[in-house]
Amino acid sequence: MSKATTNVDFRKVDVDQYEEEKYEDDAVVDDGVTGPNDAEVQALIAKGRLADALQTVLSTPPIASKNPAVKDKAAQVVMKVLTAFKAADIDGAIKNLDQNKLDVLMKYIYRGFEMSSEGNGAQLLVWHDKVFAVTGLGSIVRVLTDRRRV
Amino acid sequence: MPDNYSFGIEPVSCHAFNKDRTQVALSLNDSEVQIHKFAAGKWALTDTLAEHGQRVTGIDWAPNSNRIVTCGADRNAYVWTKQSDNKWKPTLVVLRINRAATSVRWSPQENKFAVSSGARMIAICYFEQENDWWISKQIKKPIRSTVTCLDWHPNNVLLACGSTDFKARVYSAYIKDVEEKPSATSWGSKMPFGNLMAEFSSGGGWVHSISFSANGERLAWVGHDSSVCVVDAANGQQLTTVKTDVLPFMSITWVTDNSLVAAGFDCCPMLYTYSSGNINFVSKLDDTAKQQVAGKVSAMARFKAMDSRAATDDSANETTLGTVHQNTITQLSIHSGTKSKCTKFATSGVDGQLVVWDVKSLESAFAGLRIA
């Protein structure tokens, strides 16, 4: 009798997948956006055109992609751009971003917090502070509620 | 200064005024509905309607027929009619939902009402004379999650609803037993019961509140992603969204044909205008913060604060928010006037207060503000 009860595999079953009325997000068409072109962005950073690099990475976020590797790679590229900035230049770069790009930027800043590599923390906090000054609490609420994750 | 009335420490879950605004029905986060009468500048409790088994989630008071409809988390709705002995008599309405009801609204002609629920459906209820009871018909497709809010179109047939599946929808709630076939509107011409006339995506958050404009041509709603959306049916159903920089709104209503008042987690009503496809923020409507005089703190008090609370600046003395409401505003309603010319509106919130705001005094309090 005791042998039959030691099997606890049933605990690993994901019961939610069998739910008939499970909510499915709208089928977001995978428009093949696979994030920014790494080489192109590296070139921009090397040339010192950081504001342009920022514009580039924020205009092609792989939101629709179902492949987590694509999203991770894009996030890494964004981190490279964000850390390449000098604190004094951040304000100027943010001024040129529209509402949508600012929301995407805020999403990446929080993604950066999640990835928590040792060097980035302070720089990310500076970015957070400056973007928050422009967009307010609304963009942070959107990071938390928007289903279209970066 | 807006008139604020406190009903205790419990949140006001929902409120509804009677026709001449001398009485208000509200629920304080429990299963009872309290009716208060306004006399000598104060609200006094006159009746308690106790029939629901669980928390009351929605109340609506029909102005002309003087009937109250309430709905609750106990999956029931009751229609209350005033008897000749001045007592309110409840009639149970069988909604046939298997989850809590979230809100309820009488239709403009008061011959039917709509109840939204967590059962992913809306129940449209009307009175059947032969059997002397309320019948409910259900609108289900294609709602995929809890319906949170409702608003009727002035033609008594179209119903707008917002849901936690991030969508705002317009349905037809035409009941042939109680009304004539409606004529075509900007939302469409074929209106069989349950027909989805339009569906809009609100961006990324739950839709908390939805409101038709006075003539039914425009629809506004607010989402939990801090956004305000407006659809103009007269203009080819053009959808405009504005992502705000404040905390999300819980309630919105049209106060003129072009102006919206929204209120929510910032505890402060805010004014927006909609014109030619643009939603513009005009102003916060609560100037309490400006009026709070920073009093001179004595040296003794300052050191005491530093000692006990490590408070190094004056702002530490403030224990209240710089707004009339001290907690989230959950419901906005038109108090005096109509959705096209509102003269007073009321807000109720989690702080247990009901506040009535006068449009004229707001216009004079804020230099250059015109709510038109």
Side-chain angles (χ1 to χ4, degrees), chain B residues 47 81-89:
Chain B
D47 279 295
T81 36
K82 197 129 201 235
Q83 306 297 298
S84 39
D85 60 354
N86 268 346
K87 290 228 185 322
W88 290 92
K89 175 166 157 287

Side-chain angles (χ1 to χ4, degrees), chain B residues 6-313:
Chain B
S6 174
F7 288 89
I9 52 171
E10 287 289 330
V12 176
S13 323
C14 40
H15 73 265
F17 288 98
N18 69 343
K19 183 171 187 174
D20 55 10
R21 309 322 194 206
T22 52
Q23 293 182 58
V24 70
L26 46 74
S27 181
L28 296 172
N29 208 30
D30 58 13
S31 58
E32 293 178 348
V33 174
Q34 299 183 1
I35 304 210
H36 290 252
K37 207 176 168 79
F38 194 62
K42 284 195 302 198
W43 292 95
L45 177 65
T46 54
D47 279 295
T48 305
L49 312 180
E51 199 73 22
H52 280 285
Q54 281 173 287
R55 199 174 59 91
V56 174
T57 51
I59 305 177
D60 201 15
W61 200 321
N64 297 320
S65 53
N66 205 36
R67 290 178 295 188
I68 299 178
V69 63
T70 59
C71 71
D74 59 354
R75 315 186 302 273
N76 288 331
Y78 291 93
V79 175
W80 303 80
T81 36
K82 197 129 201 235
Q83 306 297 298
S84 39
D85 60 354
N86 268 346
K87 290 228 185 322
W88 290 92
K89 175 166 157 287
T91 310
L92 173 66
V93 178
V94 176
L95 299 170
R96 296 180 288 130
I97 55 180
N98 57 6
R99 293 289 186 278
T102 52
S103 81
V104 62
R105 285 272 176 273
W106 281 108
S107 70
Q109 284 166 26
E110 299 167 24
N111 47 9
K112 47 185 182 173
F113 60 88
V115 183
S116 58
S117 72
R120 302 142 54 113
M121 65 167 87
I122 306 170
I124 310 290
C125 308
Y126 61 99
F127 194 66
E128 210 195 26
Q129 277 299 127
E130 303 121 44
N131 291 328
D132 191 30
W133 71 338
W134 291 85
I135 292 197
S136 75
K137 288 181 82 167
Q138 296 173 338
I139 298 178
K140 293 196 208 184
K141 300 220 181 319
I143 304 177
R144 295 186 295 153
S145 191
T146 302
V147 185
T148 50
C149 50
L150 296 166
D151 195 31
W152 287 92
H153 186 282
N155 75 353
N156 208 57
V157 170
L158 297 176
L159 180 67
C161 65
S163 165
T164 57
D165 63 359
F166 320 116
K167 301 255 187 290
R169 299 183 174 92
V170 179
Y171 279 103
S172 160
Y174 167 64
I175 306 274
K176 66 180 192 324
D177 295 341
V178 299
E179 58 199 343
E180 297 296 310
K181 230 169 162 212
S183 42
T185 66
S186 310
W187 297 97
S189 48
K190 291 247 177 289
M191 287 180 259
F193 178 83
N195 189 27
L196 178 66
M197 310 296 288
E199 181 180 85
F200 306 99
S201 195
S202 81
W206 291 0
V207 179
H208 285 307
S209 176
I210 196 164
S211 177
F212 267 115
S213 62
N215 59 6
E217 295 291 291
R218 293 175 178 169
L219 186 62
W221 67 90
V222 282
H224 200 76
D225 58 340
S226 290
S227 65
V228 179
C229 302
V230 178
V231 167
D232 195 349
N235 245 347
Q237 298 199 357
Q238 175 189 31
L239 169 65
T240 315
T241 308
V242 73
K243 308 265 188 198
T244 69
D245 59 355
V246 293
L247 292 176
F249 294 118
M250 290 293 291
S251 188
I252 190 169
T253 182
W254 292 89
V255 290
T256 69
D257 287 328
N258 297 311
S259 306
L260 294 153
V261 171
F265 290 98
D266 274 313
C267 318
C268 171
M270 306 205 192
L271 181 66
Y272 285 84
T273 49
Y274 176 75
S275 62
S276 47
N278 289 315
I279 305 173
N280 301 307
F281 172 68
V282 177
S283 162
K284 288 194 184 187
L285 296 176
D286 193 333
D287 61 351
T288 316
K290 285 194 227 138
Q291 290 173 10
Q292 268 177 354
V293 181
K296 288 234 174 273
V297 186
S298 72
M300 179 65 152
R302 208 185 274 253
F303 282 114
K304 220 171 172 189
M306 234 195 283
D307 198 20
S308 57
R309 287 180 287 135
T312 45
D313 50 25

Side-chain angles (χ1 to χ4, degrees), chain A residues 21 23-26 99 103 135-138 141-142 145-148, chain B residues 120 144 165-167 203-205 224-226 243-248:
Chain A
E21 298 180 340
Y23 176 77
E24 300 273 338
D25 266 319
D26 278 343
Q99 180 67 55
D103 281 344
T135 59
L137 289 164
V141 171
R142 279 184 282 282
T145 58
D146 204 335
R147 300 285 288 191
R148 297 165 303 201
Chain B
R120 302 142 54 113
R144 295 186 295 153
D165 63 359
F166 320 116
K167 301 255 187 290
H224 200 76
D225 58 340
S226 290
K243 308 265 188 198
T244 69
D245 59 355
V246 293
L247 292 176

